Amino acid sequence: AYIAYRKFLDHKNIWLFSFSYSMPLTFLIAIATIAVNSDAISMDEYYAFVLAAVMEAIVFMIAIKIMMSIKKAPKLPGNA
């Protein structure tokens, strides 16, 4: 995302954009559900995918919240 959007977004917003698009939780759960229903994976593996998706959501949401709370230092008069 950095290479694609570096001309349009600042450094902080590029990271926020990247984090927000790296949480495909519903897709992961949907594919895991299909796999367990077709007996491609066991229930233990299914639960591992669900747990990983939930943990990913928690970690990325905390990271996004921390990054959103970081404020830029105000520019002082005379410092361009």
Side-chain angles (χ1 to χ4, degrees):
Y2 180 77
I3 294 171
Y5 293 103
R6 67 180 174 202
K7 295 179 183 178
F8 306 106
L9 301 171
D10 63 350
H11 189 69
K12 176 183 163 184
N13 286 329
I14 290 172
W15 280 103
L16 290 171
F17 183 77
S18 299
F19 280 148
S20 68
Y21 276 96
S22 58
M23 294 191 302
L25 303 177
T26 54
F27 183 67
L28 177 74
I29 303 279
I31 295 300
T33 303
I34 292 169
V36 79
N37 287 339
S38 64
D39 294 328
I41 62 173
S42 68
M43 284 302 287
D44 290 337
E45 291 169 320
Y46 173 74
Y47 291 137
F49 280 121
V50 171
L51 183 61
V54 170
M55 289 173 54
E56 178 188 19
I58 293 169
V59 168
F60 280 153
M61 292 307 291
I62 290 171
I64 289 170
K65 191 166 199 133
I66 289 170
M67 291 185 77
M68 288 295 293
S69 68
I70 297 173
K71 297 184 180 188
K72 289 185 178 180
K75 290 187 178 180
L76 298 175
N79 292 343

